[in-house]
Amino acid sequence: LKSAVKNNDYRNIEYYFDDSITHKNVKCLKLIFMENNWYVAVATEKEKLIFLRISFIKAVNYCDKNSYQSSKVHKYNDFLKTFQNSLTRFGEPKQTAHIMASAEIAKYFKPNMKKFLSSQKFIKENPDKSIEFTLEYTHPLEILPFIKKWLPDLIIISPKKLKEEYLQKLKIMIEKQI
């Protein structure tokens, strides 16, 4: 994979997550360490960018195509500069979530603190010392695990659909615990 990325090569990658699949003629774009795992970012024949977790790769094989020109992957390189995590979806429109952090954890979300996600934007501090901020996302799973990690101190203000999905997941989690 290192060689394929370095030389702008195509590869066939046998991958097993839930089922076995062979990604044929993928452009190997970049090796990335995120969320305590190594991934390879590849562009598929259908022009989708996906992250393949290295530990789920069963084999990497040469294919019929040799190498691609760097100029053919600019759109992917731009995305790879701005994605937030392995669940950020290439080519999907960004949505914005409005979040409130309780006063107990507000200090971690103030404008002078390190951002947890690259799209995080401070909005305001409320009279009760809570903080409001926004996060951009392309898929709910891109930000919901982050919000869940701060239970019960992060609250989704909007959009309503994201809040409802989150509350449904919490309800299921609580029911399984009882």
Side-chain angles (χ1 to χ4, degrees), residues 141-153:
L141 283 177
E142 184 177 347
I143 62 170
L144 288 180
F146 167 75
I147 295 168
K148 193 186 311 179
K149 190 173 10 177
W150 288 89
L151 268 173
D153 293 300

Side-chain angles (χ1 to χ4, degrees), residues 88-141:
T88 305
R89 302 273 173 93
F90 173 76
E92 295 290 323
K94 291 181 181 177
Q95 300 176 64
T96 302
H98 190 157
I99 311 291
M100 184 172 63
S102 70
E104 289 79 17
I105 65 165
K107 65 182 172 187
Y108 300 109
F109 296 91
K110 289 190 174 183
N112 58 341
M113 296 299 286
K114 178 182 174 188
K115 293 179 179 182
F116 291 98
L117 295 171
S118 60
S119 69
Q120 184 177 323
K121 289 187 181 138
F122 176 83
I123 302 293
K124 67 179 180 176
E125 183 170 354
N126 296 316
D128 67 355
K129 302 295 183 200
S130 64
I131 296 283
E132 293 184 33
F133 64 96
T134 61
L135 295 172
E136 290 181 341
Y137 65 100
T138 56
H139 188 274
L141 283 177

Side-chain angles (χ1 to χ4, degrees):
L1 286 173
K2 283 183 189 179
S3 172
V5 168
K6 181 180 177 183
N7 298 317
N8 296 341
D9 286 342
Y10 290 89
R11 290 289 188 269
N12 291 333
I13 298 178
E14 292 178 38
Y15 193 72
Y16 185 83
F17 183 63
D18 289 329
D19 292 315
S20 188
I21 184 170
T22 299
H23 296 282
K24 295 185 179 219
N25 300 315
V26 295
K27 296 175 181 121
C28 297
L29 303 173
K30 188 173 184 174
L31 292 169
I32 303 165
F33 187 74
M34 62 180 155
E35 302 160 1
N36 295 316
N37 291 291
W38 279 100
Y39 292 82
V40 61
V42 300
T44 68
E45 289 183 303
K46 294 180 179 178
E47 299 295 312
K48 291 181 109 182
L49 183 142
I50 56 175
F51 296 105
L52 301 177
R53 193 165 155 178
I54 301 289
S55 61
F56 296 142
I57 293 176
K58 299 299 174 194
V60 178
N61 300 303
Y62 290 97
C63 58
D64 299 335
K65 297 181 177 184
N66 290 324
S67 61
Y68 58 88
Q69 294 178 352
S70 299
S71 62
K72 301 287 183 190
V73 294
H74 282 303
K75 63 183 174 184
Y76 305 118
N77 290 333
D78 291 343
F79 172 81
L80 289 171
K81 292 175 187 168
T82 62
F83 78 99
Q84 297 187 115
N85 58 40
S86 64
L87 297 169
T88 305
R89 302 273 173 93
F90 173 76
E92 295 290 323
K94 291 181 181 177
Q95 300 176 64
T96 302
H98 190 157
I99 311 291
M100 184 172 63
S102 70
E104 289 79 17
I105 65 165
K107 65 182 172 187
Y108 300 109
F109 296 91
K110 289 190 174 183
N112 58 341
M113 296 299 286
K114 178 182 174 188
K115 293 179 179 182
F116 291 98
L117 295 171
S118 60
S119 69
Q120 184 177 323
K121 289 187 181 138
F122 176 83
I123 302 293
K124 67 179 180 176
E125 183 170 354
N126 296 316
D128 67 355
K129 302 295 183 200
S130 64
I131 296 283
E132 293 184 33
F133 64 96
T134 61
L135 295 172
E136 290 181 341
Y137 65 100
T138 56
H139 188 274
L141 283 177
E142 184 177 347
I143 62 170
L144 288 180
F146 167 75
I147 295 168
K148 193 186 311 179
K149 190 173 10 177
W150 288 89
L151 268 173
D153 293 300
L154 286 186
I155 297 166
I156 300 170
I157 296 171
S158 68
K160 185 179 178 183
K161 184 177 178 182
L162 179 68
K163 185 173 186 161
E164 288 171 351
E165 181 177 337
Y166 182 60
L167 291 173
Q168 182 62 31
K169 289 181 183 294
L170 289 176
K171 182 180 174 188
I172 292 168
M173 182 183 74
I174 291 168
E175 288 171 356
K176 286 183 177 182
Q177 298 298 320
I178 296 175

